[in-house]
Amino acid sequence: MKNIITNEQLYTQLNDPALILFDAGMLRPGLTGNYVAKAVLPNAQRFDIKNELADRSNPLPNTLCSAEQFTQVMQKAGVNHDSYIVIYEDEGLFSAARAWWMLKSMGFDNVKVLSGGLSKWLESGYPVQQSYSKAKHNGNFIARYRTGYFINKQQVQNAIDDPAIVLLDARAHKRFTGEDLEPRADMRSGHIPNSLSLPYSELLCSGEAKPLNEIQQQFKALVGNAEKLQFTCGAGITACILALFADECGYANLSVYDGSWSEWGKK
């Protein structure tokens, strides 16, 4: 897969001077406290989606920061225009795809997601450290936001009745149907009109991507000949998993609804 790298592949590349590793792990919905990794990959730094790289002026969780803020954080992390970035998280696939999509949206394309995350890395017996590293030098990367990677409520509203656009929801199916309550307070149950359910967990097996041909079949069954795909979830995180796999399957014209159900479903 072009967007995903295995433990074995990454291990052979650890000494690449262009490589920058980021831990983009987050707490799962419904959990409280702060994200704390039980170990850190060699020379890895923190990619803080929820705080350092979020628009803190927006009351919605996790929304994308400005290009200027993104530039400052990435330069401090030593990211150059010719860097090679690998994103991982504590286990499985939940938030690493969000970091991947954020980087793509800001004009950085040479980025991959580590299959299985830290848990698979530890299972393989590869080396770790106990705290995050800091870059020795500032990088020269300058973010340039690409319009359309993230969309707002109005753009989703405008597309609801457009047969050329399909909106896929990454939440668990019972959250989509309203059978299960939302994990966040003050949220209605249900889904955006005309959206379709594609739980991100159905594209994974033991936290790693299913075979590409199976993922392609799942997408094809839902989206048909749609010219554009939009993705939503609870708070703009797992929607990016669908974006990652749609890109892997060769689909173009992809957008993530940044506010997702945290905005649309608010009471």
Side-chain angles (χ1 to χ4, degrees):
M1 290 187 174
K2 64 180 180 180
N3 296 317
I4 296 174
I5 185 172
T6 66
N7 288 314
E8 295 78 11
Q9 290 170 329
L10 178 59
Y11 180 69
T12 65
Q13 298 171 13
L14 285 180
N15 294 323
D16 184 343
L19 174 66
I20 294 179
L21 278 170
F22 280 122
D23 175 4
M26 295 177 68
L27 290 179
R28 292 339 190 225
L31 299 179
T32 58
N34 297 313
Y35 172 81
V36 178
K38 56 187 174 184
V40 177
L41 267 64
N43 298 317
Q45 301 179 67
R46 183 78 176 112
F47 192 101
D48 191 350
I49 293 169
K50 198 170 189 66
N51 297 292
E52 197 174 26
L53 288 162
D55 177 4
R56 301 307 301 277
S57 67
N58 193 321
L60 297 171
N62 318 316
T63 50
L64 182 67
C65 65
S66 67
E68 292 75 17
Q69 183 177 335
F70 198 89
T71 294
Q72 290 175 0
V73 175
M74 290 298 101
Q75 287 189 354
K76 185 179 178 182
V79 176
N80 294 311
H81 286 287
D82 60 353
S83 292
Y84 163 46
I85 293 178
V86 173
I87 307 286
Y88 74 94
E89 58 187 279
D90 51 343
E91 57 182 328
L93 184 58
F94 176 75
S95 55
R98 167 76 185 198
W100 171 86
W101 192 247
M102 290 168 68
L103 282 156
K104 300 275 283 187
S105 78
M106 290 295 182
F108 192 95
D109 288 319
N110 194 15
V111 53
K112 294 181 183 293
V113 171
L114 179 63
S115 182
L118 173 66
S119 59
K120 293 293 183 182
W121 183 267
L122 290 172
E123 282 180 21
S124 299
Y126 292 133
V128 293
Q129 58 192 45
Q130 293 308 306
S131 58
Y132 294 112
S133 294
K134 292 185 178 180
K136 296 178 181 177
H137 307 285
N138 280 1
N140 62 21
F141 173 69
I142 298 174
R144 292 181 173 85
Y145 179 67
R146 292 165 164 168
T147 303
Y149 271 71
F150 287 94
I151 52 177
N152 58 32
K153 184 178 181 179
Q154 189 60 53
Q155 289 169 293
V156 174
Q157 180 78 54
N158 293 344
I160 282 178
D161 296 319
D162 188 336
I165 301 175
V166 173
L167 175 63
L168 297 176
D169 192 322
R171 294 175 301 158
H173 188 68
K174 286 188 176 181
R175 286 174 65 188
F176 178 87
T177 61
E179 295 173 72
D180 286 350
L181 295 176
E182 288 296 302
R184 296 174 180 82
D186 300 320
M187 290 287 119
R188 296 175 291 156
S189 297
H191 59 269
I192 298 171
N194 290 344
S195 61
L196 303 176
S197 176
L198 181 57
Y200 77 89
S201 60
E202 293 186 2
L203 304 177
L204 306 176
C205 180
S206 300
E208 298 187 86
K210 286 183 175 179
L212 183 58
N213 67 314
E214 292 184 24
I215 295 174
Q216 288 172 326
Q217 289 171 8
Q218 286 175 277
F219 270 97
K220 186 176 182 180
L222 281 174
V223 307
N225 296 318
E227 297 173 9
K228 185 173 183 179
L229 303 182
Q230 296 178 344
F231 308 106
T232 185
C233 60
I237 300 299
T238 58
C240 298
I241 298 176
L242 301 189
L244 183 146
F245 287 131
D247 183 83
E248 196 72 52
C249 291
Y251 292 98
N253 299 319
L254 312 176
S255 299
V256 168
Y257 174 20
D258 209 8
S260 283
W261 196 252
S262 292
E263 179 177 38
W264 194 283
K266 195 168 183 63
K267 290 181 180 177

